[in-house]
Amino acid sequence: MQLIEGLKRRDLRALAKAISLAENDPLKAEEVFGEVISQPPMSFKVGLTGPPGSGKSTLIRNIVSRAVEENMSVGVLAVDPSSPFSGGALLADRLRIAIPNLDPSKVFIRSLSSRGHLGGLSPGIVVSVKLMDYYGFDLLLLETVGVGQAEVEVMYLADLVGVVLVPNLGDDIQAMKSGLMEVADLFVVNKCTLQGAEKLRLELESLIENSPRFQNALWKPPVFSTDALTGEGLEELWAFIKNSPRDENFLKLLEKKRKRQVHFQIYQSLLNYFRLKAEDAMKLLSLDYYSPTVVRELIKKILEGREEE
Amino acid sequence: MEKGKVRILIAKVGLDGHDRGAKYIAQALRDKGYEVIYTGIRQTPEDIVKAAIQEDAQFVGLSLLSGAHNQLFPKVVQLLKEKGAEDIVVFGGGVIPADDIPFLKSQGIKEIFPPGTTIDEVVDFIEKTLKDAAH
Ligand code: B12
Ligand SMILES: Nc1nc2c(ncn2[C@@H]2O[C@H](COP(=O)(O)OP(=O)(O)OP(=O)(O)O)[C@@H](O)[C@H]2O)c(=O)[nH]1
Ligand SMILES: [Mg+2]
């Protein structure tokens, strides 16, 4: 309750603590922040995803600094992986994103751990994004963990998804089969001064041009070449991001996306509920072997637990 | 303190570039199950306090080998107080002469870990602090 009032007062510490609650206990946070999560989406959300080390955080740093120059406020949620062994995490996106001496009321950066979640984000991310949205930023940026080919949840949370690639990770067959390719609203070929960058850009363009998905499509993802260290190509990328919310075709796309976002939010919440139940049920039995009987027994326990509530 | 994952900000304050110790501690704490936010080198006390609040860290661990600890460590504690975040526990490590430790503690730095510190000593400190706060 106190936290909600803090959020309304636009108290940064309340926002930070509210996000902790969402990450620690998404289901409880849903209850506590019911009023917040049922608000319609407000801020424009841009997600960046792509393989480890491709330059997502460094690009975000560039985007943040351009947005601030234009007097916009920016919120960033950046996810790094948790350790499968200890459950701990070393969160270091902030190290690349943070710019010294920025006004904290204009730029809010929060590092999150994936906490074992496999979709590229975190179990509490839906509620955390809602909280950031409610607090209100002109621009909300989401960075996924370094991803492979299948972690595509960011498409259900961001309005505009950028897939950040670097040269020499494979050829156009990799590009064709990867789920990442389907979530992109735009591509960034980062580290564009490296050998192979131009080839990658041409391959992507030809793939988009010839892909059955994009025949007569409302939206064909553009490809940007950037160097996040020197800032090369950032002007064009930023202009595109900034102008998309006014693009007619993008707005049509967004309408569809927002429906998908709602479905995902509810689905994610159900998954959190049953995941916790499953974890509790696992503690009740001694699990020495894998068999359909064991699984049925556990499911029975989960459902029994449900009726008690 | 509330339950959930313990979050610890490990920060290199000031112009000192010696970062081996800080990186070692950051990784070791991750391996002990904590969520560690590592800021990297050359952070001002203002940046560190801002980060600690945004990250909702329960602890801030400062690392300094250059000798400026008597100025910079107390500054972090003071700025946290100004922001109403004095509940965040500040501790530190690095090349810090034993003679300076009483002064630093009097300034609100909860514990100091000099060269040779083992990770278990740091974990004991964190767990004890959490336990005391729970009472
Ligand atoms: C390696 C080293 C370097 C490397 C640094 C590489 C790097 N990226 O870190 C290089 C060669 C670059 C270097 C350069 C310099 N160095 Co030098 N360096 C050392 C040396 C030999 C070892 C430091 C080290 O890495 N130890 C290993 C790590 C694991 O130990 P640690 O950092 O102490 O951390 C442990 C504890 O202190 C503690 N800890 C540390 N931080 C934290 C934080 C928390 C939260 C916790 C809980 C614990 C904790 O836990 C760790 C594990 O036990 C020390 C001498 C020494 N014996 O300490 C000098 C020393 C630190 N350097 C010194 C100096 C003067 C310099 C230079 C200024 C030299 C020059 N004139 O150019 C430069 C400055 C560099 C800079 N940009 O700041 C002096 C500092 C003098 C002082 N304090 O008054 C020292 C003490 C040497 C000396 N006796 O004169 N140095
Ligand atoms: N040469 C070059 N290096 C870059 C560029 N962008 C980022 N880097 C470097 O690449 C490394 C990784 O950059 P990050 O921004 O941390 O990459 P990331 O995608 O956020 O990495 P993860 O979060 O770990 O997946 C850093 O050393 C950056 O300095 C670029 O355009 N050119
Ligand atoms: Mg990153």
Side-chain angles (χ1 to χ4, degrees), chain A residues 275-299:
Chain A
R275 180 176 51 83
L276 287 175
K277 292 287 168 206
E279 280 167 14
D280 287 347
M282 294 281 284
K283 289 181 201 141
L284 296 174
L285 282 186
S286 64
L287 305 168
D288 299 324
Y289 55 93
Y290 169 43
S291 78
T293 330
V294 171
V295 175
R296 265 199 304 275
E297 194 66 22
L298 285 173
I299 291 174

Side-chain angles (χ1 to χ4, degrees), chain A residues 251-266:
Chain A
L251 287 175
K252 282 185 201 149
L253 189 71
L254 188 58
E255 211 175 301
K256 287 190 197 159
K257 281 179 170 242
R258 292 236 151 126
K259 285 200 186 112
R260 267 197 335 220
Q261 289 176 5
V262 172
H263 280 238
F264 176 73
Q265 286 157 358
I266 296 170

Side-chain angles (χ1 to χ4, degrees), chain B residues 16-21 25 61-63 65-66 91 93-94 113-117:
Chain B
D16 171 35
H18 294 90
D19 60 359
R20 282 191 201 163
I25 294 290
L62 303 170
S63 177
L65 281 74
S66 73
F91 65 114
F113 295 92
T117 297

Side-chain angles (χ1 to χ4, degrees), chain A residues 4-306:
Chain A
I4 290 213
E5 266 134 45
L7 279 179
K8 286 189 177 145
R9 267 187 282 116
R10 295 184 56 78
D11 173 24
L12 282 170
R13 216 160 175 222
L15 174 61
K17 292 216 168 282
I19 293 172
S20 296
L21 180 61
E23 297 297 315
N24 287 335
D25 193 343
L27 294 170
K28 178 157 174 227
E30 249 166 32
E31 295 292 325
V32 174
F33 301 119
E35 174 186 346
V36 172
I37 67 170
S38 39
Q39 293 278 323
M42 306 293 286
S43 34
F44 183 54
K45 303 178 195 67
V46 178
L48 286 191
T49 189
S54 54
K56 300 176 289 297
S57 300
T58 316
L59 283 164
I60 286 181
R61 177 193 181 93
N62 282 275
I63 294 169
V64 167
S65 90
R66 280 181 166 71
V68 169
E69 265 170 36
E70 301 190 17
N71 224 5
M72 294 166 82
S73 63
V74 193
V76 183
L77 291 176
V79 191
D80 265 334
S82 56
S83 156
F85 299 104
S86 73
L90 210 171
L91 310 175
D93 285 329
R94 183 179 195 100
L95 182 156
R96 311 253 191 243
I97 299 171
I99 303 166
N101 305 321
L102 278 186
D103 179 356
S105 67
K106 288 255 169 229
V107 181
F108 180 95
I109 303 167
R110 179 59 178 264
S111 318
L112 303 176
S113 156
S114 67
R115 300 203 179 170
H117 186 80
L118 297 177
L121 295 161
S122 71
I125 194 77
V126 169
V127 181
S128 291
V129 167
K130 279 282 181 187
L131 289 164
M132 296 282 277
D133 209 346
Y134 184 82
Y135 185 90
F137 293 97
D138 297 323
L139 180 64
L140 237 170
L141 298 168
L142 281 175
E143 176 181 343
T144 69
V145 302
V147 299
Q149 300 178 315
E151 301 91 333
V152 297
E153 270 176 16
V154 65
M155 74 167 172
Y156 300 116
L157 281 162
D159 300 328
L160 182 77
V161 176
V163 171
V164 182
L165 297 171
V166 287
N168 304 322
L169 294 173
D171 57 19
D172 56 346
I173 301 297
Q174 260 70 42
M176 268 162 65
K177 67 181 184 183
S178 164
L180 272 190
M181 307 307 281
E182 293 167 49
V183 311
D185 300 311
L186 64 89
F187 287 98
V188 180
V189 174
N190 192 38
K191 310 198 185 186
C192 68
T193 56
L194 294 186
Q195 211 190 353
E198 186 56 17
K199 180 165 166 273
L200 173 60
R201 190 178 63 82
L202 292 171
E203 273 175 7
L204 283 171
E205 280 171 354
S206 132
L207 201 70
I208 293 160
E209 207 46 54
N210 298 314
S211 152
R213 284 191 69 223
F214 295 119
Q215 305 244 298
N216 311 314
L218 213 54
W219 184 264
K220 281 187 193 175
V223 183
F224 294 92
S225 292
T226 60
D227 186 299
L229 291 186
T230 62
E232 185 182 335
L234 257 302
E235 210 60 58
E236 291 82 356
L237 176 62
W238 169 239
F240 185 85
I241 291 175
K242 193 176 58 173
N243 293 325
S244 338
R246 283 184 292 276
D247 182 289
E248 226 174 88
N249 282 337
F250 179 75
L251 287 175
K252 282 185 201 149
L253 189 71
L254 188 58
E255 211 175 301
K256 287 190 197 159
K257 281 179 170 242
R258 292 236 151 126
K259 285 200 186 112
R260 267 197 335 220
Q261 289 176 5
V262 172
H263 280 238
F264 176 73
Q265 286 157 358
I266 296 170
Y267 182 62
Q268 192 60 41
S269 173
L270 288 176
L271 283 186
N272 278 333
Y273 179 84
F274 286 106
R275 180 176 51 83
L276 287 175
K277 292 287 168 206
E279 280 167 14
D280 287 347
M282 294 281 284
K283 289 181 201 141
L284 296 174
L285 282 186
S286 64
L287 305 168
D288 299 324
Y289 55 93
Y290 169 43
S291 78
T293 330
V294 171
V295 175
R296 265 199 304 275
E297 194 66 22
L298 285 173
I299 291 174
K300 221 174 100 199
K301 288 222 181 307
I302 292 174
L303 295 177
E304 275 166 12
R306 241 190 76 70

